[in-house]
Amino acid sequence: MDDGTLPGDPRTPGRTGRNPGGREIPRSIRWRLFLRSLSIQGSWNYRTLLGTGAAFVLLPLLRWLHGGEGDALDEAVGRHAGLFNAHPYLAGIALGAVARMEAQGAPPEMVERFKAAVRGPLGSLGDRLVWAGWLPACLLAALVSWFLGAPYWVVVTGFVVVYNGGHFALRIWGFRVGLREGRGVGERLRDTALPRIGDVLGRVCVLLAGILVPLLVARGPALDGPGAGVPLPWIVAAVVAGAAGLWRGERVKSGAVTAVVVAAVGFLMIGWIE
Amino acid sequence: MLEAAGGVEALLLLSVLGGLLGLDQTSVGQTMVSRPLVAATLAGAVLGEPATGTAVGVVLELFHLVVLPVGGARFPEPGPAACGGAAAAVALPGPEGLAAGVALGLVWAHLGGATVTLLRTWNGRMVPDPTADRVTAAAVRGSHWGAISVDFVRGAALAGTGAAVGLLVVPAWIGGWPLDARATAGLLATAVAFPVGAFLRMFGGWRRHRWFVAGGAAVGLVLVAVA
């Protein structure tokens, strides 16, 4: 019966499960889960995706729950080594919730249904928020600052510090929310501002890219910093190339772009084009 | 050229750096020090010219803005590749160094992407089969750590070979460079303008965000004039 409570849930006195009353996960275990989550993609593969990584992350908890190495541990590990996927920065939401569910003795089927339900939303949310939002926004800000003449160490350090400030804030928040909310984390996610933040970051990216384009076209890159100015014919060529990318860029594979660039550079080096 | 850049020790350091960058790309951390902007700077620092590395990294970054590491997508891997690009730029004085470094970085990034695909296929064979009767904790631990170790070696090999090509092969191959610094900057600006345009299209481009694009461009023009 699925009435929203779990065996051992203090809201339903008298019901018992594998861990009556649930167990408070020790702080040391929680730390180990979080640190291991940084390597959840270590064994990424086309068959189980993050499955093996998720099982690896949960190992300290499962070992604690099942009294060390043995058949009970292996059975629990086997349940978690199946297909699973999520954005790496948001996987902690799912794993934190799973950890809480396991500690409360949730039936395995319930845990599996939960994992299957969250992996899609966590993946798409993370892609929009991070890969298409926070990451390009931070990169574009760094690139704009370089083209404005900022010292290289300011550009690089600024990017690493600012980006990872947001990165780790998201990971820590997600893990804590998952641990706290358990199975109810889905409802909590619906109330967050993360999707709206993703939309705002998208607009920031477009704004920064707009700022970057004149700097790139007018100054161009040089070995010791932004160039002293690009000759007019090349400015025209860059504007045309940019417009072509805006118009048809998504249809051209990056390999084709690489081939054209390498061919041009190669011919120039060998001296075939003057 | 190898001795001038720091000798075999530099190559070994770049290989280790490449291994760490390869891990950061996907397996461990994903702190984005594996982005070409940072990776090339670090490689340049190993070779004594961090600013040169940053210049290579800036251009490679512009090429890879459109590359999103989404799920099982196959994409170039610019992090370890940036080590080779930085090495070529350090080895060749003048604007040809930047062009050669970018070209080498692009080629090696695609090579890196191919090795990532191979690694993920290999991982699929090594991890425990979840449908098997028994999946042991030891098997999960071993396969996970094994995959991480192989990824490190992969990144190290990629960076090491790229750096060797950049330091030894590219300078020997170059016959001349007909463009001055400004024209080279123009060539590279033209080359990256296409992927930058594609990047804008990814967000809906002109139609969806015309005011942001126009506003940003206006700010950029002002900055070109005054900064």
Side-chain angles (χ1 to χ4, degrees):
Chain A
M1 181 173 75
D2 187 356
D3 59 359
T5 59
L6 297 172
D9 191 315
R11 291 174 292 175
T12 54
R15 294 186 66 182
T16 61
R18 287 182 282 120
N19 294 297
R23 296 172 70 176
E24 176 75 19
I25 303 173
R27 177 185 287 248
S28 62
I29 300 284
R30 281 181 269 149
W31 265 109
R32 291 172 71 186
L33 293 182
F34 178 75
L35 288 174
R36 283 186 174 222
S37 74
L38 298 178
S39 77
I40 189 172
Q41 297 200 128
S43 51
W44 206 102
N45 64 88
Y46 295 116
R47 186 166 55 151
T48 62
L49 306 184
L50 288 183
T52 307
F56 175 79
V57 170
L58 291 169
L59 264 178
L61 172 81
L62 298 175
R63 199 180 298 118
W64 171 70
L65 284 173
H66 297 283
E69 305 284 334
D71 291 346
L73 173 65
D74 289 344
E75 184 272 331
V77 166
R79 285 191 285 111
H80 288 294
L83 179 70
F84 179 68
N85 200 23
H87 188 280
Y89 294 4
L90 298 181
I93 294 176
L95 295 175
V98 165
R100 174 164 170 168
M101 293 171 75
E102 287 283 349
Q104 289 181 325
E109 312 79 49
M110 184 183 286
V111 176
E112 282 311 304
R113 280 201 307 272
F114 171 80
K115 285 168 68 179
V118 296
R119 66 178 187 232
L122 287 182
S124 61
L125 176 61
D127 289 345
R128 213 166 77 211
L129 180 65
V130 181
W131 299 149
W134 184 238
L135 176 61
C138 291
L139 282 171
L140 285 165
L143 293 170
V144 166
S145 65
W146 187 84
F147 276 100
L148 288 174
Y152 75 90
W153 59 272
V154 170
V155 171
V156 171
T157 308
F159 165 72
V160 172
V161 169
V162 172
Y163 176 81
N164 284 294
H167 162 203
F168 281 100
L170 186 60
R171 279 201 196 249
I172 292 168
W173 170 85
F175 188 62
R176 293 174 74 175
V177 146
L179 273 178
R180 188 178 66 235
E181 304 291 337
R183 191 165 157 251
V185 74
E187 285 188 27
R188 178 73 174 87
L189 283 180
R190 274 195 285 273
D191 295 335
T192 69
L194 293 181
R196 286 191 295 280
I197 293 173
D199 291 339
V200 169
L201 285 173
R203 292 195 192 98
V204 169
C205 286
V206 174
L207 180 70
L208 287 170
I211 295 174
L212 178 66
V213 167
L215 290 168
L216 168 67
V217 169
R219 296 187 173 176
L223 276 177
D224 50 0
V230 173
L232 183 60
W234 285 110
I235 292 178
V236 174
V239 170
V240 170
L246 187 60
W247 181 49
R248 281 280 185 247
E250 63 192 13
R251 297 188 183 204
V252 178
K253 292 192 184 302
S254 62
V257 175
T258 296
V260 169
V261 170
V262 171
V265 172
F267 287 150
L268 283 166
M269 279 185 168
I270 296 174
W272 288 0
I273 300 175
E274 288 295 334
Chain B
M1 183 51 61
L2 182 60
E3 287 308 313
V8 174
E9 293 84 6
L11 268 184
L12 285 173
L13 270 174
L14 286 173
S15 298
V16 171
L17 175 64
L20 296 173
L21 295 173
L23 288 181
D24 182 73
Q25 190 91 37
T26 302
S27 293
V28 183
Q30 288 196 295
T31 61
M32 298 300 134
V33 294
S34 51
R35 292 299 303 192
L37 177 66
V38 184
T41 303
L42 292 173
V46 169
L47 296 169
E49 296 188 29
T52 299
T54 305
V56 173
V58 164
V59 182
L60 288 176
E61 198 61 73
L62 288 164
F63 276 106
H64 291 100
L65 272 178
V66 293
V67 175
L68 298 182
V70 174
R74 287 162 165 84
F75 43 84
E77 191 196 30
C83 294
V90 167
L92 288 166
E96 68 268 30
L98 184 57
V102 168
L104 180 62
L106 288 175
V107 171
W108 239 248
H110 282 280
L111 192 62
T115 64
V116 168
T117 301
L118 287 173
L119 172 68
R120 291 177 170 188
T121 306
W122 169 264
N123 286 345
R125 297 200 184 109
M126 291 296 109
V127 299
D129 181 352
T131 62
D133 288 338
R134 187 182 171 110
V135 176
T136 65
V140 165
R141 257 195 312 268
S143 60
H144 192 75
W145 282 119
I148 290 174
S149 304
V150 171
D151 198 12
F152 177 85
V153 171
R154 182 196 63 82
L158 205 58
T161 53
V165 169
L167 289 172
L168 300 172
V169 176
V170 172
W173 184 57
I174 189 169
W177 187 253
L179 304 180
D180 64 12
R182 292 182 67 209
T184 303
L187 171 70
L188 292 173
T190 303
V192 299
F194 186 87
V196 171
F199 172 80
L200 273 171
R201 187 177 172 86
M202 240 170 53
F203 288 89
W206 178 255
R207 278 201 190 124
R208 205 168 142 206
H209 297 295
R210 61 176 74 91
W211 295 117
F212 286 91
V213 175
V219 171
L221 285 169
V222 169
L223 289 172
V224 167
V226 304

